[in-house]
Each structure stands twice: as C-alpha cells, then as structure tokens.
Amino acid sequence: MNNKILIFILCSLIFFTITFCSNTGPQTGTLTGTINLEDQSDHSGIIIGVYKLAELDPDIVEANQKWPHIGVIINQHTEFDHRFGTLVKTGETDAAGYFEIGNIPTGVYNVVAIKDGFGFRYIYNVQINDGETALSEQCKMNSQPVGGQVEKCIMKNDSSNSSHYSLFIEPHYSLKKERKADLLLYPETTISSDISTPTTFLSNHHYIIEQDIIVDDELTIEHGAIVRLNDGVKLTIYGDLTAVGEEDNFIWFTSNDSIFSFSVFRFPSFVSLYEYKSIELDGTFNKQVSYCKFDHAGTGLLSKVNGFEISDCVFRDSNCGFMAEYVDSTFCSNLLCENITGGSEGGIYFSHVTEGCIEKNVINDCENGIQIKNNSNPEVKNNFLKNRKYNIWILWDSLPLIHYNEFANENSYGVYNHKSFRLIQYNNFHNYIGVLYNECHPEVSEIHNNNFFCSLYAIKIRNTVYQTADINAENNYFGTVDITEIQNLIWDKNDLDENDPTYPHTGIVNFTPFLLSEVISAGIQGE
C-alpha cells in the first residue's frame, strides 16, 4: 500500500513538473497570410520579414507627451525603417501568394512584404499570439488599405515618347474574382526623364528617381507613396505640387539604397546609406507639402518659393533638413528634425528670407538646430530644441524675434548670435551657455523675461577684436537670487583685464533689476 502511494506521488510530481515547464516555457505563434503582385499570375518569391518594433527616442516621446500640439507625434509609422531594423523571422510566398512563418516568439512586431521590382509595404504593430495569427486580421486592426483604392490612376509610359506619361483609369485588382490577397504589391515605376504632363504618384506605390529630374507640370503625390532617389540625385519641381499625406500614412522621400537587405546579423548603428542630393521647389507658388518624411539626403527639402508653407513633416538622417532661401517669406510648423549632421546647415535653415515664422517644431539631436542667416527675419516661437552644438545660430544682419521656446540641452549653446540682434524674451534656457553674443552690432540688444537654468554661463559676450554690443538683460530669472551667483553666470567686459586688447570692444550685460522667481509664462505656449 505504501509503495502504491509513493508511486502515485512520484507520478503526480512528474506530471505537474511537465505541465509547469510547458506552461512557463517561451510561447510562440505562427503568422499566415496571402500577398499578391498586381497583375501577376505567379506570386511566389515575395519575402516576408518579421521585425522588432523600432525604438522611440525618449526625448521626443517626452516632448510629445508634454506638448502634444508641437512637432510630429512619433510612432512606428514615423520611425520604422526595415533597413535599420532587427529581423526576427522571414518567410516566402508560394505561387498563390500564401506564406506561413512559424516559431515566432509571441509579442508585437512590424511585418515587411518585399519583392525586387515591386518595392515593399509595412504592416505595423502586428500582435503575434500563441497559435496562428492571420495577416488579414492584422490589416484590419491597423486600418491598412487592403490593396488600395477601388479605382486607380496609373502613370503609363508612352513608348513613342520616353518623356511622356499619360493617365488612365483601371478597375482595381480587388474587383477581380481571383483576388484573395491580404496585401497587394505594385510594380515599381522608374522615372528616367523629365515630367512635362500632369502626373500622379499613387498611394502605396514606389517611384524610383533614377537621375536628375525636372517637373514642369502638375505633380500630385498621394498618401503612402514612396519616392526613392538614387545617390546624388536632385528632383526639381517647377510646376504645381500637391504632396499631402495623412497622419498615419505619410509620403516618404528616401534614398534608393539597401532596400532589399534582409539579414539577422545587421547592426543598425553600423548601417550607412548614401544620400540623395535634394528635393527642390521653385517656380509657381502653388505648392502643398504636409505629412511627408524626408531622410538620407543632402538637403531633405529646399524651397525657393515665395510664401511657401510646410507643416507636419519629418526630416532626419541628412546633412540639412528643411531649407528656404532667397524668398520674401516662408512658414514652417509642426516639423520634427532629428539627427541633421551638417556643421554649416541645420534642421531648419533660413537664408535671405525676408520674413516668416518657425513655430511648433521639435528639433532634436542635430549639429545645429535652427540656422538663420543673411538678412533673414522670421519669428521663432513655441519650439522644443535639444541639439549638439547650437540650438539657434543667427548670422549676418538677421533680426529674428525669439520667444516662447524651450532650450533643453545642458551641453550646447542656446542662442549663438553673430553680427545680428533682436528681442529674445519668454524662453526657458537649460543650456551650457544660454545666449552667446559674438561680433554684434553696436546697438543695444534686448533680452527680457527669460528663465536661465544654466550650468556655466547664462549670457556671454565673447571677447573679440570687433565691436560687440551692450545687452539690456533686465528682468530675467537666473535660477538664483544671489547676486554673486548671477554675476558668475555673466561674462562681459567686467571679466576682462583693462590691458586686454579686446577690452575696449567688448560690451556689458546689464542684468539688474533681475527677477526673484521664475517667469511662469515663459516657454512653449498653447495646447
């Protein structure tokens, strides 16, 4: 009897051990679906990649949460690029377009469908559960169009004239009986000659800009279109332009490089893409640009159009982000500029821009955040700036009004001013140096009602052989009410020996009276 009880107990322990281990082991699932190629009978060879989600920059996430009305709210759609992603699993379609990828650890992923000659498409935030996950249900969850529109307008090349493109209406593939796909890939269109007739780049289609192209007629780019430019190539648009994406379906301008790289051994920090030269706007003023992404460029977008307005766009991983030059006015708002590396450009760069406005932008981790140069006089307000060297760099007789901004980086210059001056007020400076003046005009500059939380200097007049201005810095808060501590945060003529050759040319910062408490109305305003 005792032996039977012992055997029963041992069997029970083994059963519960096996059950426990099986329940606590890693859970995996299978992703299945059908992807088709437009107008093809053989849908084999489409590669499906399951990728880890892109990591969201915590500085931008924090800014989005604190000021949701400025910049672009980042998510997988704005951040994910499979060329820099971490690949988890791959699969391939059969002739019918069916695929099945097993042993995927449960979790949330981005899924990429890609085929040479047909570009790629993304499905974001795909939840892989224990068991089988159908791609069709994920498409519905993510509100992705299954195959696109009911009707479509195709750019078709007239073989008798390589520079002529005509438009015609074709029933959508989803109307055909054999259409059972969860997702549809479209043939790429290569642009190798100038566009001189009204043309539309369609949603979810890829367009390859093979060489320098001039557009001198109307160009419409639909949401979700992807424009890939070859190395060093420039797209110049003289005609009317409508490039208006959607909040969850941006238009994307990027380099035509490493599109088809699938490797589990890729390390994103080592990936380097070549750059397209620029998208340049000129000619007619009928230009609309919003909800677009520009990356891996010399200059993401250059405007030479008077009165141009741009909003809700992303510029990153380029030498220069958005540039405007030689125009009477330019207005940019709700841009996200990140990792713009040019030492002489900026995330936003105005040169010879008579007036305009730079407002409600998030400019993060750029060599220079905003550069205002050569008689440019915009209003700069309600921006979040956290950059490597200069957050705002003002040069050569420019007179911007700088107010209601947040300068967040402790290790960079807040405002660097070179031979320019104007009013700076109602800003929060958390910078290594709040405001640095170099070779200023002899007129007095005005700095009022700012909060300075600076570790080295709040205001510095750099000693130079050129004449620098006195600064009227009355009524600012310096993070302290101790006048000795405030004096230590100021660098001006009082810090120089009278025998210093720059002493006669260096101005004085007049900081009294100063405020005894923070300026509540300083920094980014609005909701």
Side-chain angles (χ1 to χ4, degrees):
M1 186 71 175
N2 290 336
N3 289 337
K4 290 182 179 180
I5 294 174
L6 180 60
I7 292 171
F8 174 78
I9 292 172
L10 290 173
C11 291
S12 298
L13 287 172
I14 292 171
F15 172 78
F16 284 117
T17 300
I18 293 172
T19 303
F20 176 78
C21 291
S22 64
N23 288 336
T24 58
Q27 300 293 301
T28 62
T30 299
L31 178 65
T32 64
T34 302
I35 301 175
N36 282 177
L37 306 173
E38 185 188 46
D39 294 332
Q40 303 295 308
S41 57
D42 182 357
H43 307 288
S44 62
I46 303 171
I47 305 298
I48 296 87
V50 179
Y51 281 82
K52 288 185 178 181
L53 299 183
E55 294 185 10
L56 304 186
D57 188 306
D59 291 329
I60 300 177
V61 170
E62 183 180 1
N64 286 163
Q65 293 172 345
K66 191 171 183 179
W67 303 288
H69 62 294
I70 74 169
V72 171
I73 304 298
I74 63 172
N75 51 40
Q76 291 302 308
H77 180 74
T78 64
E79 304 304 290
F80 178 70
D81 183 337
H82 74 276
R83 296 171 292 184
F84 297 85
T86 300
L87 185 62
V88 176
K89 288 281 185 177
T90 62
E92 188 171 337
T93 57
D94 61 18
Y98 178 77
F99 72 91
E100 183 175 312
I101 307 173
N103 295 317
I104 306 171
T106 56
V108 182
Y109 300 92
N110 293 326
V111 174
V112 180
I114 188 168
K115 184 175 174 65
D116 192 10
F118 289 82
F120 56 81
R121 288 186 67 179
Y122 297 165
I123 302 176
Y124 304 97
N125 299 304
V126 173
Q127 176 69 55
I128 302 295
N129 298 314
D130 185 20
E132 182 176 317
T133 298
L135 186 65
S136 58
E137 293 303 314
Q138 298 298 316
C139 290
K140 292 176 184 178
M141 288 170 56
N142 287 281
S143 301
Q144 293 292 325
V146 180
Q149 307 165 348
V150 173
E151 290 184 333
K152 63 176 183 171
C153 195
I154 298 179
M155 187 173 74
K156 182 179 180 182
N157 182 261
D158 181 348
S159 58
S160 64
N161 184 349
S162 62
S163 64
H164 177 70
Y165 297 88
S166 59
L167 301 178
F168 69 96
I169 300 297
E170 174 179 285
H172 190 266
Y173 194 59
S174 62
L175 299 181
K176 301 177 182 180
K177 292 183 180 179
E178 65 269 23
R179 163 68 162 89
K180 297 180 181 179
D182 304 316
L183 203 66
L184 194 62
L185 297 183
Y186 304 94
E188 296 172 346
T189 300
T190 299
I191 311 297
S192 57
S193 58
D194 294 343
I195 297 175
S196 56
T197 58
T199 299
T200 298
F201 289 179
L202 299 173
S203 180
N204 301 318
H205 288 60
H206 286 243
Y207 296 86
I208 314 302
I209 308 301
E210 194 172 54
Q211 59 191 38
D212 287 356
I213 295 293
I214 293 175
V215 180
D216 56 13
D217 209 309
E218 182 179 356
L219 175 61
T220 301
I221 305 177
E222 295 180 346
H223 58 85
I226 298 176
V227 182
R228 294 161 27 203
L229 295 91
N230 282 349
D231 185 19
V233 162
K234 179 171 70 171
L235 176 64
T236 305
I237 303 172
Y238 289 96
D240 292 357
L241 172 66
T242 303
V244 179
E246 295 178 342
E247 187 173 359
D248 59 354
N249 202 10
F250 278 51
I251 296 165
W252 189 6
F253 298 88
T254 189
S255 69
N256 184 32
D257 185 27
S258 300
I259 297 299
F260 301 102
S261 178
F262 275 82
S263 171
V264 294
F265 300 110
R266 297 198 65 164
F267 297 92
S269 61
F270 300 142
V271 176
S272 178
L273 303 187
Y274 63 60
E275 298 177 342
Y276 72 84
K277 184 176 181 180
S278 68
I279 311 291
E280 185 172 320
L281 307 181
D282 210 331
T284 173
F285 63 87
N286 293 319
K287 305 283 197 302
Q288 299 179 59
V289 178
S290 62
Y291 294 109
C292 295
K293 297 191 296 182
F294 303 83
D295 58 29
H296 304 290
T299 298
L301 182 66
L302 167 60
S303 173
K304 297 181 179 180
V305 177
N306 289 326
F308 177 64
E309 300 181 13
I310 181 174
S311 67
D312 302 289
C313 290
V314 176
F315 295 87
R316 62 159 54 93
D317 300 316
S318 299
N319 193 63
C320 181
F322 172 66
M323 178 189 295
E325 64 177 5
Y326 294 102
V327 293
D328 58 18
S329 59
T330 298
F331 305 87
C332 58
S333 64
N334 293 98
L335 306 183
L336 167 60
C337 302
E338 187 177 29
N339 194 31
I340 304 300
T341 57
S344 59
E345 284 82 24
I348 298 174
Y349 183 13
F350 277 28
S351 178
H352 298 282
V353 180
T354 306
E355 60 182 5
C357 191
I358 300 172
E359 64 172 333
K360 297 193 291 186
N361 305 291
V362 172
I363 308 174
N364 181 68
D365 197 27
C366 300
E367 186 71 10
N368 301 312
I370 299 173
Q371 183 173 167
I372 301 167
K373 184 177 180 181
N374 297 323
N375 298 99
S376 297
N377 313 297
E379 181 182 14
V380 182
K381 64 179 181 180
N382 290 324
N383 299 286
F384 173 84
L385 302 109
K386 188 174 183 179
N387 299 286
R388 302 172 197 164
K389 189 174 183 181
Y390 303 128
N391 283 289
I392 298 180
W393 187 9
I394 310 168
L395 297 132
W396 308 118
D397 301 307
S398 296
L399 305 175
L401 170 60
I402 300 172
H403 58 163
Y404 300 110
N405 300 286
E406 192 81 15
F407 297 83
N409 198 344
E410 296 180 357
N411 298 310
S412 63
Y413 298 101
V415 178
Y416 185 94
N417 188 35
H418 185 86
K419 286 196 171 180
S420 302
F421 74 98
R422 201 176 176 185
L423 180 63
I424 299 175
Q425 63 180 358
Y426 294 105
N427 302 281
N428 287 327
F429 290 95
H430 300 264
N431 300 86
Y432 181 68
I433 296 178
V435 182
L436 176 65
Y437 277 74
N438 179 33
E439 301 177 27
C440 299
H441 285 274
E443 295 88 348
V444 173
S445 298
E446 303 281 338
I447 302 176
H448 306 299
N449 295 298
N450 301 282
N451 294 316
F452 291 98
F453 308 101
C454 302
S455 58
L456 183 60
Y457 296 113
I459 303 173
K460 179 177 181 180
I461 297 181
R462 183 178 176 185
N463 52 314
T464 173
V465 295
Y466 299 96
Q467 181 66 45
T468 55
D470 290 340
I471 296 176
N472 181 348
E474 297 175 356
N475 298 315
N476 293 286
Y477 177 67
F478 292 93
T480 179
V481 296
D482 187 310
I483 191 166
T484 301
E485 292 180 2
I486 296 174
Q487 287 173 334
N488 290 334
L489 292 170
I490 304 295
W491 178 279
D492 60 8
K493 178 180 285 190
N494 295 322
D495 295 281
L496 295 174
D497 186 280
E498 292 185 2
N499 296 321
D500 190 306
T502 64
Y503 181 86
H505 311 289
T506 304
I508 293 175
V509 178
N510 298 306
F511 64 89
T512 57
F514 54 86
L515 299 179
L516 304 180
S517 61
E518 286 187 42
V519 181
I520 303 302
S521 56
I524 295 169
Q525 303 297 301
E527 297 180 355

